[in-house]
RNA sequence: GGUUCGGUAGCUCAGUUGGAUAGAGCAACAGCCUUCUAAGCUGUGGGUCCCGGGUUCGAAUCCCGGCCGAAUCACCA
């Protein structure tokens, strides 16, 4: 049983004995004692003050006394206490802390919840195949894969899925521009990564398209009309129609260009360290979606306008009317998402479906949820849109078409380069290091810095990235935590406990056995399972970042103040070695949930 | 305009179901490597928690009203 549960029970017994109060869990507020006071855990006694009809300080004093009285609480876990106003600061007995540490050491899966035998599908990444991945996608991928790992640690079976947006008007734009301006360029001929090559033509399309709009407007046309009437746009739309009709040439071109993009994406995913269990392609799911829309039309759920387009009227649900099929019969984003959802539930016994998609699409998912529900799918109402915030640049949002993006490949490469550069400046550069190992460390550290930088901010909030300022390697960063880990590994290479963990605590239970920093570390370690749980419930990798940072910081402080290997007292030395090893274990586990690798040296 | 989300130190961000004098990092300044890795440790300065009301023993946190910012309301995805 964890410390909190034990304390809660004892508090219950205490207030029952003192005041006849049957306290519920909500009234028992335990928090970490602030450093300026003595103690480890603090009980807020205000909730009992009214019922006890006494002054807060007196109530705190009385509860404190009861908590140390074995006649009331059974075996007390607190050895002393002090009362400050309405706060009861309690000190836990060292023997209890040592038992906790031993229990942690004995559990290789420490922090993980038991299997709950339920399946969660997590959709993330979901790229368009008309451009390379940028920083916005990086946030999506890192959040998605981290959340998948976190939910696994919380006992879910997780299927990671990716719905590749491989068809649609945006792809046609790249294809068209390539046909018109490409001169047969291929990844081989140009040496460009496939996704980058295609992205260049997407940008090119937009450039030429704007030119045409400007010309038409100069000729006296309104902007809206010009956008519609521009020949390039008409050609792209015609191409999409041909694609849906299965035109051989268009399909072949499409397949070829997509294959270039996939090769490029695979490299990026690999470098980023993300993967999927099942990939869906919209080119395979949109027909299913169309079928469902047709069915809805027949059942009178949707309606057709004079021009042939199909709509859902959601005004009764407080939303607008939503297009489901264009007048030319081609499908839209929503159509495909309906089909994809249906197929997924056919393929897997999904208990919970989570879409990791930016908050700019909140409306879309509200509509999707409603539409699925109207179509009679029981999972419509259940879907979870994990809506995360945008990555903004100092001058606003990233726009692929306008070329104001931070490219994912470039960014990762730069981070690794920076990590390499920084390591060269270090005083303690590892003397016997090979070039290969140095590169491997730089990769872990560079990517660790990037991932932590992104994951440490609350996923729901927009975040700012300034390309002018390089991402830090000092302070509250991934490398800080990696460094702490590497230090511990270095110590452990030089010394191991000379007795088994279960024996370490024996006979060292005198009050001075544990110093403040050791207690703080053990206490922090005992928080870990609750932290993993919280990260899962809140879908927040940031919770784990904060935890890992606090743990690493406390370890560094301990490391600075106390010697481990040179400690003369064998018992204490063993205890510190064990404590260090457990800190390293938990740091590694937490960072693994974030997708951050730990170097054994750095 | 409707809806949703946000506003905390110069900058980037934490801040549990309301709890003690609001915290980190970066940047600035001052210290600490003959001792287990200085990507570290210690200290100093830095705040109208957007504004105004309300709820109560207690509000950055909850409620109401403003102000500011973002997203969205497409035959884009």
């Amino acid at each position: 049983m964890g410390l909190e549960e034990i304390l809660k029970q004892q508090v219950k017994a205490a207030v029952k004995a003192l005041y006849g109060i049957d306290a519920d869990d909500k009234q028992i507020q335990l928090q970490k004692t602030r450093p300026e006071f003595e103690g480890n855990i603090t009980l807020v006694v205000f909730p009992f003050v009214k019922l006890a009809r006494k002054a807060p300080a007196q109530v705190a004093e009385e509860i404190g006394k009861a908590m140390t009285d074995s006649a009331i609480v059974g075996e007390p876990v607190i050895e002393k206490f002090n009362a400050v106003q309405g706060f009861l600061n309690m000190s836990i007995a060292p023997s209890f802390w040592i038992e906790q540490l031993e229990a942690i050491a004995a559990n290789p899966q420490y922090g993980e919840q038991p299997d709950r035998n339920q399946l969660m599908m997590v959709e993330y990444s979901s790229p368009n195949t008309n451009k390379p991945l940028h920083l916005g996608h990086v946030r999506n991928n890192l959040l998605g894969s981290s959340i998948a790992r976190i939910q696994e640690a919380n006992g879910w079976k997780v299927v990671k899925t990716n719905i590749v947006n491989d068809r649609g008007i945006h792809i046609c734009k790249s294809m068209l521009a390539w046909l018109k301006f490409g001169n047969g360029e291929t990844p081989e001929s140009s040496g460009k990564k496939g996704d980058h090559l295609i992205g260049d033509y997407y940008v090119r399309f937009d450039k030429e398209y704007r030119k045409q709009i400007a010309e038409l407007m100069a000729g006296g046309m309104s902007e809206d009309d010009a956008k519609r009437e521009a020949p390039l746009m008409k050609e792209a739309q015609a191409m999409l129609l041909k694609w849906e009709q299965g035109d051989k040439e268009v399909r072949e071109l499409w397949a070829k260009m997509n294959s270039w993009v996939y090769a490029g994406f695979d490299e990026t995913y690999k470098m980023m360290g993300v993967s999927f269990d099942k990939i869906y392609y919209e080119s395979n799911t949109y027909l299913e979606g169309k079928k469902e829309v047709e069915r809805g039309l027949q059942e009178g759920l949707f309606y057709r306008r004079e021009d042939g387009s199909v709509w859902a009227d959601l005004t009764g649900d407080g939303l607008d009317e939503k297009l489901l099929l264009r007048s030319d019969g081609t499908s839209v984003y929503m159509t495909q998402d309906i089909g994809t959802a249906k197929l997924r539930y056919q393929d897997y016994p999904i208990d919970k479906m989570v879409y990791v998609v930016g908050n700019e699409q909140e409306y879309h998912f509200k509509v999707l949820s409603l539409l699925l529900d109207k179509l009679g799918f029981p999972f419509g109402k259940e879907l979870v849109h994990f809506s995360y915030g945008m990555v903004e640049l100092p001058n606003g949002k990233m726009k692929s078409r306008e070329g104001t993006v931070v490219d994912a490949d470039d960014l990762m490469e730069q981070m690794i380069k920076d990590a390499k550069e920084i390591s060269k400046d270090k005083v303690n550069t590892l003397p016997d290091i090979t070039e290969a190992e140095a590169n491997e460390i730089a990769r872990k550290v560079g990517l660790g810095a990037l991932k932590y930088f992104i994951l440490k901010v609350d996923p729901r909030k927009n975040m700012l990235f300034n390309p002018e300022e390089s991402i830090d390697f000092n302070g509250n960063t991934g490398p800080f935590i990696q460094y702490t880990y590497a230090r511990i590994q270095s110590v452990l290479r030089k010394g191991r406990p000379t007795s088994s963990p279960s024996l370490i605590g024996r006979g060292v239970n005198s009050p001075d056995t544990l110093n403040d920093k050791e207690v703080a570390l053990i206490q922090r370690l005992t928080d870990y399972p609750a932290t993993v749980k919280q990260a899962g419930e809140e879908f927040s990798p940031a919770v784990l970042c904060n935890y890992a940072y606090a743990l690493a910081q406390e370890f560094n402080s301990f490391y600075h103040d106390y010697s481990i290997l040179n400690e003369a007292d064998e018992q204490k030395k063993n205890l510190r070695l064990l404590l260090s090893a457990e800190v390293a274990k938990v740091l590694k586990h937490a960072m693994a949930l974030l997708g951050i690798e730990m170097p054994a040296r750095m």
Side-chain angles (χ1 to χ4, degrees):
Chain A
M1 195 167 19
L3 175 59
E4 278 217 6
E5 288 87 79
I6 296 173
L7 280 173
K8 274 188 178 174
Q9 285 188 0
Q10 297 197 349
V11 171
K12 273 182 198 174
V15 296
K16 176 80 179 168
L18 288 168
Y19 315 116
I21 301 171
D22 283 305
D24 57 46
D25 278 10
K26 264 203 165 166
Q27 289 175 291
I28 303 174
Q29 297 176 36
L30 295 168
Q31 53 189 257
K32 215 159 249 191
T33 303
R34 296 196 151 231
E36 57 266 36
F37 300 102
E38 191 186 353
N40 312 122
I41 294 197
T42 294
L43 175 75
V44 182
V45 304
F46 287 107
F48 310 115
V49 165
K50 245 182 197 163
L51 293 161
R53 299 168 155 270
K54 288 174 183 169
Q58 194 186 344
V59 174
E61 190 71 29
E62 288 176 358
I63 296 176
K65 276 213 182 86
M67 292 289 288
T68 50
D69 184 344
S70 58
I72 296 173
V73 297
E75 191 188 342
V77 288
I78 78 170
E79 63 170 10
K80 54 183 174 175
F81 67 91
N82 63 84
V84 181
Q85 298 164 40
F87 299 90
L88 173 62
N89 303 320
M90 303 177 282
S91 300
I92 308 299
S95 59
F96 180 88
W97 291 126
I98 289 170
E99 280 167 27
Q100 292 290 305
L101 178 61
E102 288 169 351
I104 292 166
N107 183 358
Q109 263 93 46
Y110 184 64
E112 294 176 19
Q113 301 293 318
D115 190 356
R116 53 193 295 163
N117 208 19
Q118 280 187 299
L119 181 76
M120 183 185 292
M121 180 175 267
V122 180
E123 175 200 295
Y124 65 97
S125 199
S126 307
N128 294 345
T129 57
N130 65 327
K131 53 179 186 258
L133 305 181
H134 59 61
L135 183 53
H137 300 114
V138 174
R139 192 179 191 190
N140 178 298
N141 280 279
L142 296 180
L143 282 172
S145 61
S146 176
I147 279 163
R149 287 184 243 252
I150 288 168
Q151 299 302 355
E152 253 164 6
N154 278 290
W156 289 85
K157 288 196 195 343
V158 174
V159 174
K160 296 176 287 180
T161 190
N162 185 357
I163 171 75
V164 179
N165 203 324
D166 62 343
R167 44 141 276 129
I169 190 72
H170 52 288
I171 318 294
C172 292
K173 290 177 182 175
S174 288
M175 285 160 64
L176 192 62
W178 184 84
L179 277 179
K180 284 186 177 298
F181 314 110
N183 298 317
E185 182 182 8
T186 67
E188 291 76 32
S189 75
S190 62
K192 276 186 202 161
K193 212 161 151 273
D195 50 338
H196 288 258
L197 188 152
I198 300 300
D200 290 346
Y201 286 100
Y202 186 65
V203 172
R204 182 67 187 270
F205 175 93
D206 199 61
K207 193 177 143 201
E208 301 291 337
Y209 176 44
R210 281 168 190 279
K211 222 187 276 176
Q212 289 187 345
I213 293 172
E215 281 166 16
L216 290 171
M217 285 171 71
M221 199 178 274
S222 77
E223 188 177 350
D224 282 355
D225 286 345
K227 278 183 176 168
R228 234 188 340 263
E229 295 301 323
L232 269 175
M233 184 54 85
K234 294 214 148 189
E235 277 187 78
Q237 282 163 349
M239 191 181 251
L240 178 62
L241 192 58
K242 275 186 170 177
W243 185 94
E244 289 215 3
Q245 288 163 349
D247 180 275
K248 193 160 175 272
E249 267 179 52
V250 172
R251 285 289 182 131
E252 274 173 10
L253 175 63
W254 170 76
K256 178 168 74 178
M257 292 181 68
N258 269 348
S259 74
W260 296 344
V261 172
Y262 296 147
F265 283 173
D266 283 348
E267 271 184 55
T268 308
Y269 284 144
K270 197 174 170 200
M271 182 57 87
M272 211 161 12
V274 307
S275 62
F276 306 94
D277 303 307
K278 170 75 180 176
I279 297 180
Y280 289 91
Y281 296 90
E282 286 191 348
S283 56
N284 293 330
T285 67
Y286 82 103
L287 288 175
E288 195 63 40
K290 276 179 138 177
K291 260 194 256 169
E292 289 303 317
V293 172
E294 294 293 344
R295 177 168 70 81
L297 194 57
Q298 277 164 21
E299 293 176 8
L301 301 169
F302 311 137
Y303 69 96
R304 197 186 290 277
R305 287 189 184 168
E306 284 173 17
D307 62 5
S309 55
V310 176
W311 296 74
D313 183 359
L314 302 174
T315 49
D317 300 287
L319 301 175
D320 291 305
E321 301 190 328
K322 185 73 191 174
L323 176 86
L324 298 176
L325 288 175
R326 296 194 186 95
S327 52
D328 64 2
T330 56
S331 63
V332 294
Y333 185 40
M334 188 61 75
T335 326
Q336 339 185 89
D337 262 9
I338 291 169
T340 309
K342 188 186 172 195
L343 290 173
R344 282 174 175 155
Y345 277 85
Q346 278 174 11
D347 293 344
Y348 296 93
I350 298 171
D351 294 298
K352 191 171 229 177
M353 178 70 219
V354 179
Y355 293 84
V356 180
V357 179
N359 60 16
E360 57 191 355
Q361 294 193 31
E362 275 171 8
Y363 183 75
H364 173 80
F365 282 96
K366 259 184 209 146
V367 174
L368 178 64
S369 171
L370 260 174
L371 290 176
L372 288 171
D373 192 55
K374 281 183 192 296
L375 283 164
F377 297 115
F379 48 83
K381 284 245 158 84
E382 304 293 315
L383 71 82
V384 177
H385 174 205
F386 175 61
S387 165
Y388 66 89
M390 298 290 98
V391 180
E392 286 166 346
L393 302 177
N395 43 10
K397 249 187 96 173
M398 285 183 272
K399 294 274 186 205
S400 288
R401 279 176 312 198
E402 293 161 26
T404 59
V405 294
V406 176
D407 179 75
D409 296 317
D410 294 348
L411 182 58
M412 288 191 284
E413 192 187 325
Q414 189 58 47
M415 290 303 297
I416 295 168
K417 219 184 266 176
D418 288 352
K420 188 104 195 248
E421 208 50 48
I422 287 169
S423 73
K424 280 185 192 151
D425 300 337
K426 295 298 164 199
V427 183
N428 300 33
T429 305
L430 300 168
D432 57 338
I433 200 162
T434 65
E435 183 66 14
E437 194 192 349
N439 287 337
E440 182 60 5
I441 292 169
R443 185 186 65 79
K444 287 178 179 170
V445 172
L447 293 177
L450 174 62
K451 291 178 179 183
Y452 188 91
F453 174 81
I454 287 171
L455 291 175
K456 79 171 174 182
V457 337
D458 183 338
R460 273 159 284 275
K461 290 188 179 171
N462 288 359
M463 63 178 289
L464 186 87
F465 175 79
N466 188 348
E468 302 300 315
E469 300 169 10
S470 50
I471 294 176
D472 256 303
F473 287 78
N474 299 321
N476 186 357
T477 66
F480 175 92
I481 296 164
Q482 291 171 318
Y483 181 71
T484 307
Y485 177 84
R487 269 180 153 180
I488 296 173
Q489 295 312 305
S490 177
V491 171
L492 293 177
R493 275 191 295 271
K494 292 172 183 164
R496 285 278 170 183
T498 52
S499 61
S500 72
S502 62
L503 294 176
I504 283 173
R506 293 287 156 79
V508 287
N509 289 350
S510 59
D512 67 334
T513 302
L514 294 175
N515 60 54
D516 286 354
K517 309 241 163 168
E518 288 163 342
V519 169
L521 280 171
I522 298 173
Q523 188 171 4
R524 182 72 63 183
L525 288 175
T526 63
D527 291 342
Y528 186 56
T531 305
V532 173
K533 212 169 160 189
Q534 189 196 349
E537 281 163 2
E538 295 177 12
F539 286 82
S540 177
V543 167
L544 285 170
C545 290
N546 293 338
Y547 173 85
Y549 178 62
L551 179 59
Q553 206 174 33
E554 282 165 353
F555 182 84
N556 282 326
S557 178
F558 158 75
Y559 180 92
H560 177 267
D561 289 359
Y562 300 96
S563 181
I564 301 165
L565 295 171
N566 297 327
E567 169 58 45
D569 182 325
E570 192 68 10
Q571 295 275 28
K572 281 190 183 177
K573 180 177 165 183
N574 279 334
L575 184 98
R576 287 177 188 171
L577 280 168
L578 181 66
L579 178 58
S580 302
E582 293 312 305
V583 169
K585 180 174 94 180
V586 169
L587 284 178
K588 187 175 189 178
H589 191 272
M591 295 296 266
L593 294 181
L594 301 170
I596 297 174
E597 298 172 74
M598 296 294 236
R601 308 202 293 171
M602 68 185 273

